[in-house]
Amino acid sequence: GQQVMQIPQYQHVQEGEDFTTYCNSSTTLSNIQWYKQRPGGHPVFLIQLVKSGEVKKQKRLTFQFGEAKKNSSLHITATQTTDVGTYFCAARDQTGANNLFFGTGTRLTVIP
Amino acid sequence: DVKVTQSSRYLVKRTGEKVFLECVQDMDHENMFWYRQDPGLGLRLIYFSYDVKMKEKGDIPEGYSVSREKKERFSLILESASTNQTSMYLCASSPFRGAGQEYFGPGTRLTVT
């Protein structure tokens, strides 16, 4: 089935540094979603990107969808300890599948 | 606010036992999903359902079955639990077929000894 590759698997940053996680697919995607899972918690929806080249911002978080709709990134500016957690991308392919395909996640640690 | 609840946060079962994990959502969502989450492997879809009594296999259905007798309730069944089914199990729901975000329950950490 559909596969979404996500890198890096882990990232340790000093508080105040920036952080980026990337998702890549070999096939064109219908849309891509991003989720955050705090330690001990469950995934919580952050955002959905639908259009080619789309860029959306949520405070210090910037989400991008590639022009070819095959890749996406999440960038956090000036990380804070509240950003700690695992970030997942999740994609739906162009068949209109009912289910999302989740990336393996990037676990972010922020060192105070 | 959408609420997805799971019957247990922690569960310990013995090898060979039949295990039922229950999930209930309160927002009349069409779709419900069962995932397992393991370190380094992300979320893997076991089964999903887009309507009452309907079910579709996900990526790793072997060793599991599901039941959806009512719209709000989706059960995951381990017919004969094995140690390799020790994992975190997450239930999710979404409102529309082929669209929309997924809302997750708190998860059930199952240990099979």
Side-chain angles (χ1 to χ4, degrees):
Chain A
Q2 171 69 265
Q3 282 197 340
V4 177
M5 307 303 295
Q6 188 173 356
I7 56 169
Q9 190 173 354
Y10 303 96
Q11 184 81 61
H12 296 244
V13 298
Q14 290 286 142
E15 190 171 16
E17 290 182 341
D18 292 357
F19 159 77
T20 306
T21 174
Y22 302 90
C23 276
N24 292 288
S25 168
S26 58
T27 59
T28 305
L29 303 171
S30 172
N31 58 65
I32 195 157
Q33 300 179 1
W34 286 92
Y35 291 77
K36 177 182 178 181
Q37 183 176 22
R38 294 182 186 274
H42 56 274
V44 174
F45 174 80
L46 293 176
I47 210 160
Q48 175 170 280
L49 305 170
V50 178
K51 298 176 185 175
S52 168
E54 189 169 13
V55 178
K56 287 188 177 180
K57 293 193 175 187
Q58 289 179 350
K59 297 182 181 178
R60 294 177 295 101
L61 278 61
T62 302
F63 303 84
Q64 290 189 308
F65 201 9
E67 293 288 344
K69 299 183 74 173
K70 290 184 176 182
N71 57 73
S72 181
S73 64
L74 157 59
H75 179 83
I76 302 178
T77 304
T79 54
Q80 299 175 359
T81 54
T82 52
D83 296 324
V84 163
T86 301
Y87 293 85
F88 293 96
C89 61
R92 212 169 251 120
D93 65 24
Q94 292 202 324
T95 64
N98 209 20
N99 56 296
L100 290 168
F101 299 93
F102 279 82
T104 49
T106 296
R107 187 171 177 177
L108 173 64
T109 301
V110 179
I111 304 161
Chain B
D1 240 10
V2 175
K3 196 165 184 186
V4 180
T5 57
Q6 296 184 228
S7 49
S8 307
R9 283 287 273 158
Y10 300 94
L11 209 52
V12 180
K13 294 291 181 181
R14 293 194 182 277
T15 302
E17 277 194 87
K18 191 168 186 175
V19 182
F20 293 87
L21 302 182
E22 302 281 337
C23 176
V24 178
Q25 50 95 2
D26 67 355
M27 282 301 290
D28 202 36
H29 284 178
E30 290 185 9
N31 307 308
M32 296 188 76
F33 308 85
W34 274 107
Y35 295 90
R36 64 177 283 177
Q37 183 175 23
D38 301 287
L41 298 177
L43 278 74
R44 293 182 292 166
L45 182 65
I46 304 171
Y47 268 97
F48 65 99
S49 168
Y50 55 86
D51 202 351
V52 175
K53 296 194 187 295
M54 303 300 289
K55 61 184 179 184
E56 289 198 25
K57 293 179 180 179
D59 297 322
I60 51 164
E62 296 78 20
Y64 304 94
S65 62
V66 290
S67 171
R68 194 166 180 202
E69 296 296 318
K70 293 185 177 181
K71 192 173 185 179
E72 68 271 18
R73 188 179 297 269
F74 193 34
S75 304
L76 180 69
I77 303 150
L78 287 66
E79 294 290 341
S80 177
S82 63
T83 54
N84 61 15
Q85 292 179 309
T86 292
S87 186
M88 170 67 82
Y89 290 87
L90 289 161
C91 174
S93 71
S94 69
F96 310 115
R97 188 168 180 182
Q101 69 185 82
E102 292 186 11
Y103 298 83
F104 284 84
T108 296
R109 184 164 294 282
L110 172 67
T111 303
V112 182
T113 60

